Each structure stands twice: as C-alpha cells, then as structure tokens.
Amino acid sequence: MQPSAPFAVWRLAGSGVAAVVGFALLIPYTAIRLEAMGHSAAAIGFFAALPWLAVLAVAPFVARLARIWGGPALYVRSALVSAPVPLVFAVSDDYAIWCAANLAIGVAAALRWIVSESWVVELVPAERRGRTIGLYETVLGFSFMIGPLILGALDADATAPAAVAAVLWLVSWLFAIGIPAPSARADDTRARDVGFRIVLMAVPAAVIGAMIGGAFEVGLTGIGAYWVLGLGSSPAQAAVFAAALGAGSFAAQYPAGWLADKYSLDKIVRRALAALIAVSLAAPWLVAGQPGTLALAALWGAAGGMLYTLAMIRVAHGFSGPALLRATASVVAGYTIGGAGGPALIGLALEAAPRLGLPMALAVLAGCALAAHAALGRRRVPRP
C-alpha cells in the first residue's frame, strides 16, 4: 500500500461507520413511525425507496463533480450538509416533508459512498484486494447491525432516535475532515478513463450481483421490519430483525473477500444466488418462532452483503483513476436499483399476501438474477 494508505482507509472507515450506523438506525425507525401513523405498506415501501432513487440519479455524475470540486471537498461537504437532516423526522409528521428529507439523504449518500469506495479500492494492492475490501465492508456491515440495536435500546415511537442519527452524522463529518485522496500508482496498468456507459456495459454481471445485494441487504431493513410487525412481532423485535440482517452482512464480508482471492467470482456469486432462492422459499416455515425469523434475516443479510462485496472486487480488478469512480458508480447504481426497487415491489407483494408476499418476491428476484448472471457472466473485466 501507499505509505498513507492505512491511515486514509481507516479514517474513511471511521467516517463510514458513523454515517452507516445513523442510516441503519433511521431505516427501521422511519418504517415503524410511518406504520404507527397509519400509512400503508405501499406508502412505506415508496418512502424506503426514495434514498436509493436519489443515489441512482446522482451516481452517473459523481466522477464529474469530483473532478470539478475535488474528491476530498465533495466528501466533506456532503457529510456536513447531510448531518442535520435526520432532525426532520423529529420535528415533523408530514409525509411529504419526510419524503423530501429522505431524498436529500440519498443525494448526500451517493456522493460519499462512491468517492469513499473507489478510494479504498485504489489504495489496495491486487494480491490483497479481496481480503482488504472484504475487511472494509465487514466494518460497514457491523455498522448496519449496530444501528437497529441502538434503536432497540431507544423508544422507537419517540423522536430521540432521529436526534441520535443527527449526532452520528456530525461525528462522521468530523472523521472526514482532512482525508487525503489516493495518488496514482506508476505500475498500474488498468484502464485510466472511459465513459460511464462503457463502464456499465463492461461489468454487467457485477451490476446484477450488486442489484440483488441491495435488495437483500439494505432494501429489506425497512420493509422487512414492517413484514415481521405484520407477523405479530413487537417494534423491539422488528428492530432486532433489522439488526440480524446487518449481523449476517457483517459476518459474510471478509469470507467473501477471502474466497474472491482464491476462487472464481462467477461461481461464488451464482452459489450465493442459489442459496438466496432456497432460503427464501423456506422462509414461510422458518418464521414460526423468533429464533427462526432471526436466522432467516441473518442468512438474507449474509448473501446480500457478499454479492455487493464481490461486485466491488470485480470492478477493482479492471479499472483505476476516473474510470474506477465510474465503475464504482455502476456497481452503486445496481445496488441502488435493488435497494429502491426491492422495497417498492415487496410492499406491493405484501398488499396481496401479507405473510408470503415478501419471501416469494425475494425468491423470484434472486431467480431472475441467477438467470441473468449466467447469461451475462461470460463478459469479463480485463485483468491488470
């Protein structure tokens, strides 16, 4: 690594942890609050999709903005501007205002997410890329687990969780101040710059994997909490379900990176998708008790988290510099489509079948992804 790489990576990790813990707290918190205010599953699903729609809209422009303002300035400014936004959920009960705040959260998240992930990839040498990226994503997966646990210790029907999220995002901004952007390595032979569309078409299998990762990892956090409430769980148990999703993702990240350093990415991804199909089809029998429900959440989170990490490793092998920002944006776009489309589609499925709608919709999504990945996986990213 570059001499400053460990310091920069762990500064990014510290900033990311504070931001993700706050975000992971807000997702089930807002779902529980909206359900208590009498909103429908479709309305909650639409609300949960808004940050991901904002990320999807912003992703193609992040590389251009980073070139104009500089990556560090873009990262720090977005962290500062977004810090007070969670307070909106404490001072207002208006659904439209909540939706506007959730969109703003998505815009800031897109800017920080793409810049930070591309920096970590840029700083990592090829021979340790899978394990290092896996370790970094493990830290973020831990954050997704901690956020709902903090919510479980607070009153999910009060305004305190929104204030806690705002404090966490302020801490995230403080961590971000002064993080240096990575410099190019002289021995790097990967493509230096291509357009966003070319990058997107070069890694279709990675985008497909990231898409399902988004649906199963983060997309389930809010709508999944709503689902278990409908099964008779309490708000505290719904928060623990969301935490189990994060725990599964946390546990799977480093093993995913270790496997990627040793085995075929395509085979690992397809086996993860096949496991998601099997677990989703078995879900109606696993939710008979709380332990089974939590095990189900952990398995969903594990496979979803693995898919995103494997997608990042795939693009890391093929791109660097400005092209890597665009490649990262393409993976984030895929993850975002899953995070946005998953809750919206699942919300509609729950309207039709409150008990079976969620697991059956997930099984269909994973099945379609497996078929698409098998067809697209033959197009490989060039190795350095």
Side-chain angles (χ1 to χ4, degrees):
M1 289 188 182
Q2 302 170 24
S4 62
F7 177 73
V9 168
W10 295 115
R11 284 280 301 280
L12 285 168
S15 180
V17 164
V20 173
V21 169
F23 186 58
L25 184 158
L26 284 175
I27 294 174
Y29 168 68
T30 51
I32 291 168
R33 285 282 308 278
L34 288 170
E35 192 273 342
M37 287 188 281
H39 293 284
S40 68
I44 295 172
F46 174 76
F47 174 85
L50 288 174
W52 310 105
L53 293 174
V55 171
L56 185 61
V58 170
F61 307 102
V62 174
R64 183 182 305 172
L65 292 172
R67 186 171 63 249
I68 295 170
W69 289 347
L74 185 63
Y75 188 91
V76 171
R77 289 173 185 174
S78 58
L80 177 60
V81 170
S82 62
V85 175
L87 297 177
V88 170
F89 305 126
V91 301
S92 174
D93 289 335
D94 186 274
Y95 180 78
I97 293 176
W98 277 40
C99 287
N102 228 17
L103 277 172
I105 287 171
V107 171
L111 299 174
R112 300 185 62 196
W113 183 6
I114 295 169
V115 170
S116 62
E117 296 272 313
S118 66
W119 281 359
V120 171
V121 168
E122 197 81 85
L123 290 164
V124 175
E127 65 273 11
R128 298 204 304 273
R129 191 167 287 142
R131 283 163 288 179
T132 306
I133 294 173
L135 182 60
Y136 178 78
E137 300 298 343
T138 295
V139 172
L140 298 187
F142 178 77
S143 306
F144 275 110
M145 177 178 65
I146 293 300
L149 287 178
I150 293 175
L151 177 61
L154 301 171
D155 183 358
D157 294 320
T159 59
V164 170
V167 171
L168 286 167
W169 285 5
L170 181 62
V171 171
S172 175
W173 169 67
L174 293 174
F175 265 105
I177 297 173
I179 296 179
S183 58
R185 294 195 298 270
D187 61 346
D188 197 338
T189 59
R190 294 171 295 170
R192 298 302 307 178
D193 198 7
V194 293
F196 181 82
R197 185 182 63 84
I198 295 174
V199 169
L200 187 63
M201 295 305 294
V203 287
V207 175
I208 292 292
M211 187 183 304
I212 299 304
F216 275 83
E217 187 181 26
V218 178
L220 276 181
T221 306
I223 200 68
Y226 177 85
W227 177 60
V228 296
L229 285 172
L231 297 178
S233 297
S234 67
Q237 289 173 326
V240 173
F241 175 89
L245 286 165
S249 176
F250 163 72
Q253 303 294 345
Y254 186 79
W258 182 86
L259 289 169
D261 281 339
K262 295 181 177 294
Y263 303 106
S264 164
L265 281 172
D266 286 336
K267 289 182 180 179
I268 300 169
V269 168
R270 290 171 194 169
R271 288 173 182 173
L273 288 170
L276 283 176
I277 295 170
V279 170
S280 299
L281 290 175
W285 291 273
L286 292 175
V287 295
Q290 183 72 357
T293 302
L294 296 181
L296 175 65
L299 290 170
W300 275 337
M306 283 184 68
L307 288 170
Y308 174 76
T309 296
L310 294 170
M312 281 304 308
I313 294 169
R314 178 183 289 273
V315 300
H317 284 311
F319 301 99
S320 66
L324 179 58
L325 266 174
R326 295 187 177 93
T328 303
S330 72
V331 171
V332 168
Y335 188 87
T336 299
I337 290 171
L345 292 174
I346 292 166
L348 294 174
L350 285 173
E351 292 283 349
R355 181 180 177 83
L356 298 178
L358 183 141
M360 294 303 102
L362 292 177
V364 170
L365 286 173
C368 292
L370 181 59
H373 192 279
L376 295 171
R378 292 187 293 272
R379 301 178 62 179
R380 298 180 182 274
V381 175
R383 294 274 177 173

